[in-house]
Amino acid sequence: MTAQVSSPTTQPMDATQNEVLAEVRNHIGHLTLNRPAGLNAITLDMVRSLQQQLDAWAQDPQVHAVVLRGAGEKAFCAGGDIRSLYDSFKSGDTLHEDFFVEEYALDLAIHHYRKPVLALMDGFVLGGGMGLVQGADLRVVTERSRLAMPEVAIGYFPDVGGSHFLPRTPGELGIYLGVTGVQIRAADALYCGLADWYLDSANLSTLDEQLDHLQWHDTPLKDLQGVLAKLAVQQLPVAPLAALRPAIDHFFALPDVPSMVEQLREVTVADSHEWATATADLLESRSPLAMGVTLEMLRRGRHLSLEQCFALELHLDRQWFERGDLIEGVRALLIDKDKNPRWNPPTLQALDAEHVASFFTGFDQSGS
């Protein structure tokens, strides 16, 4: 469905479905994830709406660029709607299978989109939200931004292209982010190469205003960069991960997660002890299986193409609902809400390397 060109108000893409809003202003297609009460978590219907609109704008000569954002001030997108995936699996439906296939196709389409995409990463950008923005040409963070691939906390692994973009961050930072699931803020996002520009959230409305009055002169990407250069910066002075980098590069290059925890527990240096202990505690709260598979996936992903990484993630997905810890993680977090997941295996010490390796058996590296 095509949007209203130069419409003064945002139009829902469908009269009965307004979870994705689309409009064109000044040759820019604006897409808004519109589930603010649910932190803009994406559903299969939203994935399909986004894909449909992006496909239409790709063919529309009147649309020069796309801006992607989330409604409200709390989140760009807090990930996929995992409750719907849980319900689908439990009821014997196929929605949980269709979701990943179509979500990954959408993420890949953004990576290869023929027109520049500007992503406004205001608020939480978690999991599936990261998948939507990491293929964008211009990724903007604010002081409210909280980025993470927190899947190991619910017994899953960092997907949506995480096997490609995480291991391509400097040193072992991506391994650290994927295996721990920790959140980072704007300065660290820029330092890791997971964002390009920092803009105060108070200036988001000014950015919109300038985009609405942008005079198109050069290539669309350069024109957009020119607008950002007047309002935003590409570096912030203090990135906490920069100070932690030597420790992260050491511990997260170790052969496996149990070795990481063991050595973190042995740190006695005063200025590192608190971080090391907190990190070890965090790792011991996560799904051992999810962390083991995540570590192997990210290390493989370093040597795979983008398409191969998505194919690897789908290969894991097809096994994970039956063999992984996701269903138990969702039960503990969202269903029974006891926040006491019974992981299988329950401890890192019980994690078997051959069991982890079995998830990768039969993966066709050609991506077919």
Side-chain angles (χ1 to χ4, degrees):
M1 182 179 293
T2 57
Q4 298 283 329
V5 178
S6 300
S7 168
T9 58
T10 303
Q11 301 293 318
M13 294 185 60
D14 185 295
T16 60
Q17 165 65 279
N18 65 350
E19 291 182 339
V20 174
L21 305 176
E23 67 171 326
V24 175
R25 304 194 312 266
N26 191 26
H27 303 288
I28 298 174
H30 293 264
L31 281 173
T32 304
L33 307 179
N34 190 39
R35 291 184 70 202
L39 299 179
N40 298 318
I42 51 173
T43 64
L44 181 56
D45 284 342
M46 292 169 73
V47 166
R48 289 171 173 170
S49 295
L50 289 165
Q51 185 75 66
Q52 177 188 9
Q53 192 61 67
L54 286 170
D55 288 347
W57 284 343
Q59 304 297 327
D60 187 344
Q62 292 301 309
V63 175
H64 300 339
V66 173
V67 173
L68 190 56
R69 77 183 80 211
E73 298 181 352
K74 292 183 178 179
F76 164 74
C77 172
D81 183 358
I82 55 174
R83 175 63 189 262
S84 67
L85 305 180
Y86 176 95
D87 291 342
S88 168
F89 175 75
K90 285 294 191 179
S91 67
D93 195 4
T94 62
L95 181 145
H96 61 288
E97 298 169 359
D98 298 338
F99 177 81
F100 290 113
V101 170
E102 296 187 39
E103 182 190 28
Y104 296 177
L106 170 64
D107 295 336
L108 191 57
I110 293 172
H111 276 274
H112 293 317
Y113 203 60
R114 64 179 69 184
K115 298 176 181 182
V117 177
L118 190 164
L120 300 177
M121 302 158 64
D122 189 32
F124 288 110
V125 189
L126 311 177
M130 288 284 280
L132 290 172
V133 300
Q134 288 307 315
D137 304 275
L138 303 166
R139 300 162 299 171
V140 179
V141 286
T142 75
E143 79 283 357
R144 297 189 297 222
S145 297
R146 304 288 185 273
L147 281 65
M149 295 297 288
E151 287 80 2
V152 290
I154 56 167
Y156 190 48
F157 54 88
D159 62 336
V160 295
S163 59
H164 189 267
F165 63 75
L166 284 176
R168 283 162 178 78
T169 57
E172 301 298 320
L173 291 175
I175 306 297
Y176 167 70
L177 295 176
V179 173
T180 64
V182 296
Q183 291 182 14
I184 58 174
R185 299 190 179 195
D188 282 333
L190 293 169
Y191 177 70
C192 289
L194 297 171
D196 307 298
W197 295 87
Y198 171 82
L199 177 73
D200 287 334
S201 62
N203 287 331
L204 286 169
S205 58
T206 305
L207 174 62
D208 263 332
E209 190 177 316
Q210 296 206 7
L211 292 175
D212 286 346
H213 296 92
L214 172 62
Q215 298 293 315
W216 299 95
H217 295 300
D218 212 330
T219 63
L221 180 58
K222 285 186 178 179
D223 288 334
L224 293 176
Q225 288 171 329
V227 173
L228 286 170
K230 296 172 185 174
L231 296 172
V233 297
Q234 291 190 283
Q235 192 173 348
L236 291 173
V238 180
L241 284 182
L244 290 171
R245 173 81 183 279
I248 288 171
D249 283 355
H250 169 71
F251 292 111
F252 286 85
L254 292 170
D256 51 46
V257 183
S259 300
M260 295 173 189
V261 172
E262 181 181 353
Q263 289 206 21
L264 284 163
R265 293 281 184 214
E266 293 175 356
V267 172
T268 56
V269 181
D271 59 352
S272 300
H273 176 72
E274 185 177 348
W275 172 82
T277 300
T279 302
D281 289 345
L282 184 63
L283 291 172
E284 290 190 331
S285 75
R286 306 311 204 193
S287 158
L289 180 62
M291 288 189 295
V293 169
T294 292
L295 182 62
E296 175 67 16
M297 179 191 75
L298 295 179
R299 288 179 172 168
R300 286 178 179 238
R302 274 194 172 127
H303 311 291
L304 299 177
S305 70
L306 179 63
E307 286 77 9
Q308 288 171 335
C309 283
F310 277 112
L312 175 58
E313 292 167 13
L314 270 181
H315 175 80
L316 297 173
D317 278 326
R318 292 187 181 113
Q319 308 167 67
W320 203 257
F321 282 83
E322 291 283 357
R323 301 181 60 205
D325 269 344
L326 177 62
I327 293 301
E328 173 60 16
V330 176
R331 179 208 64 76
L333 181 69
L334 294 180
I335 310 303
D336 298 337
K337 299 182 180 179
D338 56 34
K339 297 186 178 178
N340 185 31
R342 295 183 288 273
W343 303 128
N344 183 24
T347 65
L348 278 166
Q349 290 67 35
L351 184 62
D352 179 62
E354 288 187 9
H355 183 51
V356 170
S358 73
F359 283 86
F360 298 87
T361 302
F363 171 61
D364 179 3
Q365 194 160 299
S366 70
S368 60

